[in-house]
Amino acid sequence: MTCCLIFWINQAVEYWSFESFPFLYSYLDDLLAMPVILGLTLQIFQWIHPKKDNFRFTMTQVTVGFLYVSVAFEWFLPAYSDTYTRDYWDIYCYLVGTVVFYLGINPKNNSN
């Protein structure tokens, strides 16, 4: 929830062209991408999965999500669209966001 709120505030700041820190303007969305994507996906899974609130993504699932976003946004889309720019620092930001999600947002597994 917090990551989503920060993301939307940053989008509003960018939309209304307020001055912000160059690093935040360039990389905050990328840092928040994985916690937002995985967090929303986790919430949906918790609504529909029999384990409900005890459902947790495995390291493999989180890694696949990281790889999917990295390949899609930093390799595939820039190759086929001028709208997207390949930036390998974005992949690092996705990785940091993935680690933050896995260690801080992904709930502890309470069942055996």
Side-chain angles (χ1 to χ4, degrees), residues 51-71:
K51 287 185 178 180
K52 298 293 181 193
D53 290 339
N54 290 325
F55 181 82
R56 175 187 175 140
F57 285 140
T58 64
M59 177 66 81
T60 301
Q61 291 167 322
V62 171
T63 301
V64 167
F66 161 73
L67 292 172
Y68 181 84
V69 169
S70 296
V71 168

Side-chain angles (χ1 to χ4, degrees), residues 1 5 12-13 16 25 28 37 57 65 68 73 82 92 102:
M1 175 76 163
L5 182 61
V13 167
W16 285 305
Y25 184 79
L28 184 59
I37 292 167
F57 285 140
Y68 181 84
F73 286 96
D82 292 335
Y92 178 74
Y102 189 77

Side-chain angles (χ1 to χ4, degrees), residues 1-14 28-33 36:
M1 175 76 163
T2 303
C3 290
C4 289
L5 182 61
I6 294 169
F7 174 80
W8 285 110
I9 290 170
N10 187 53
Q11 289 299 303
V13 167
E14 289 178 11
L28 184 59
D29 290 344
D30 301 312
L31 283 168
L32 295 171
V36 169

Side-chain angles (χ1 to χ4, degrees), residues 5-105:
L5 182 61
I6 294 169
F7 174 80
W8 285 110
I9 290 170
N10 187 53
Q11 289 299 303
V13 167
E14 289 178 11
Y15 178 78
W16 285 305
S17 300
F18 291 121
E19 293 293 321
S20 72
F21 299 102
F23 175 81
L24 292 179
Y25 184 79
S26 297
Y27 296 108
L28 184 59
D29 290 344
D30 301 312
L31 283 168
L32 295 171
M34 296 311 295
V36 169
I37 292 167
L38 292 171
L40 291 172
T41 306
L42 178 64
Q43 182 62 60
I44 292 167
F45 270 83
Q46 288 177 336
W47 287 337
I48 63 175
H49 197 275
K51 287 185 178 180
K52 298 293 181 193
D53 290 339
N54 290 325
F55 181 82
R56 175 187 175 140
F57 285 140
T58 64
M59 177 66 81
T60 301
Q61 291 167 322
V62 171
T63 301
V64 167
F66 161 73
L67 292 172
Y68 181 84
V69 169
S70 296
V71 168
F73 286 96
E74 303 307 322
W75 179 75
F76 184 77
L77 289 173
Y80 295 99
S81 174
D82 292 335
T83 304
Y84 297 92
T85 303
R86 186 170 288 139
D87 182 357
Y88 295 106
W89 283 105
D90 290 351
I91 296 172
Y92 178 74
C93 291
Y94 300 148
L95 177 62
V96 170
T98 301
V99 170
V100 167
F101 170 81
Y102 189 77
L103 297 177
I105 299 171

